[in-house]
Amino acid sequence: MAKIIDGKQISSAMLDTVAAEVAALKAQNIEPCLAVILVGEDPASQVYVRNKQRACERVGIRSVSHILPVDTTQQELLDLIGSLNADPSVHGILCQLPLPAHLDAQQLLLAIAPEKDVDAFHPVNVGKITIGNAKLLPCTPAGVMEMLRYEGISPAGKHCVVLGRSNIVGKPMALLLLAADGTVTVCHSKTPDLAAETRRADILVSAVGKRGLITADMVKPGAVVIDVSINRGEDGKLCGDADFEAVSRVASAVTPVPGGVGPMTIAMLMRNTVTAAKAQNGID
Ligand code: GUN
């Protein structure tokens, strides 16, 4: 049976480290602060934003939430982002995605000052991640890398297969695995024989968002399976892309959903906020 990688426990240890850093900054009169923008009433986004606020409370980061109505205009958001950019007491700015369809998300992400872009979605930060000199790392892929590191699993020399090519997870995940000396294949909806690719994976990361996608026969015996997706099962319960029970009998380690990658993402957001606060105060 595979080892179940406990994202709650690993993230908890990381949050303790972040809390100690926050305390050290506060002793220097620097209070790390994260501003969160949520537009509309998407229930999943409301849950994510609440979890982010709770994590801020736990580690001592000040959180400022801007919960805005669904008909908020592009200009109102640009003005808000402009004022948060100019506010030296705010170190991180996060605009929760997805945004309502009438808004241009790319233009808004571009408006966030790169040094306050704790999601690492701004093209300047994406470029730095590509080059390999980024300070702010994309939260979910960075959380996956931390999980692997904590478990003593090195991507170096391994065949890593990433399912999904989104800007939030798939693409930056591939870059971080590559930077860690993995040999990386990125698969997507047009990949002709997905199972042939996944069976070659020593480390399989799935971020497709399709329950039941990864069956046991698609997993190489002894592989590590990291399930990033959060889906609803037929029973209404949360589940990932992998058939967890069956895959657990083939893999050497798997992440559960919930309690796997999700908590790591939030821990990385807290770490990025501290990193941003330090950088903006000339501390490195
Ligand atoms: N929506 C889903 N994941 C994310 C994330 O990591 N950051 C933001 N801002 N929105 C999201």
Side-chain angles (χ1 to χ4, degrees):
M1 280 300 280
K3 166 161 199 199
I4 297 172
I5 303 177
D6 186 345
K8 269 197 193 164
Q9 187 223 320
I10 303 169
S11 67
S12 185
M14 299 216 56
L15 289 173
D16 288 344
T17 306
V18 173
E21 287 189 65
V22 170
L25 286 172
K26 283 183 173 170
Q28 300 174 68
N29 281 323
I30 299 163
E31 185 181 33
C33 172
L34 172 67
V36 176
I37 302 169
L38 172 63
V39 186
E41 292 176 1
D42 177 61
S45 291
Q46 287 174 329
V47 172
Y48 292 143
V49 166
R50 209 176 313 130
N51 288 341
K52 288 166 187 176
Q53 289 165 336
R54 286 207 188 115
C56 283
E57 274 169 37
R58 168 163 174 188
V59 300
I61 290 175
R62 186 164 70 93
S63 83
V64 182
S65 298
H66 295 268
I67 313 286
L68 303 171
V70 69
D71 59 356
T72 303
T73 66
Q74 185 81 3
Q75 192 56 50
E76 284 169 328
L77 285 166
L78 287 170
D79 290 347
L80 172 60
I81 291 169
S83 70
L84 294 171
N85 282 342
D87 182 345
S89 74
V90 171
H91 305 103
I93 303 170
L94 179 148
C95 184
Q96 185 66 32
L97 303 178
L99 287 164
H102 70 280
L103 296 169
D104 178 350
Q106 280 310 317
Q107 189 195 35
L108 294 171
L109 297 181
L110 203 59
I112 295 173
E115 66 273 19
K116 297 193 178 186
D117 169 36
V118 284
D119 266 325
F121 290 166
H122 191 287
V124 164
N125 289 322
V126 175
K128 287 183 181 179
I129 294 156
T130 307
I131 292 167
N133 63 356
K135 276 190 185 163
L136 298 173
L137 293 174
C139 299
T140 298
V144 171
M145 297 305 289
E146 282 298 327
M147 280 181 130
L148 293 174
R149 202 170 62 86
Y150 189 92
E151 296 295 334
I153 301 161
S154 169
K158 304 257 172 67
H159 199 119
C160 307
V161 176
V162 178
L163 307 187
R165 55 174 158 175
S166 71
N167 290 335
I168 295 183
V169 183
K171 281 186 216 167
M173 187 74 252
L175 289 169
L176 296 190
L177 289 165
L178 189 59
D181 297 329
T183 300
V184 183
T185 302
V186 182
C187 301
H188 48 79
S189 54
K190 304 289 189 295
T191 299
D193 188 350
L194 193 64
E197 303 294 343
T198 61
R199 276 189 212 113
R200 294 168 59 213
D202 302 306
I203 298 173
L204 177 61
V205 181
S206 187
V208 174
K210 197 168 164 186
R211 71 169 188 241
L213 176 72
I214 303 169
T215 48
D217 61 309
M218 293 168 71
V219 176
K220 176 164 143 180
V224 174
V225 178
I226 308 288
D227 199 337
V228 176
S229 297
I230 301 175
N231 311 305
R232 287 256 171 221
E234 274 167 15
D235 54 6
K237 288 190 185 151
L238 296 181
C239 64
D241 291 342
D243 178 349
F244 184 78
E245 298 299 332
V247 165
S248 298
R249 287 192 278 273
V250 181
S252 63
V254 291
T255 63
V257 179
V261 177
M264 296 300 298
T265 298
I266 295 186
M268 292 301 121
L269 175 68
M270 298 299 109
R271 192 172 78 175
N272 274 350
T273 304
V274 169
T275 301
K278 281 185 181 171
Q280 284 158 51
N281 285 280
I283 306 168
D284 280 309

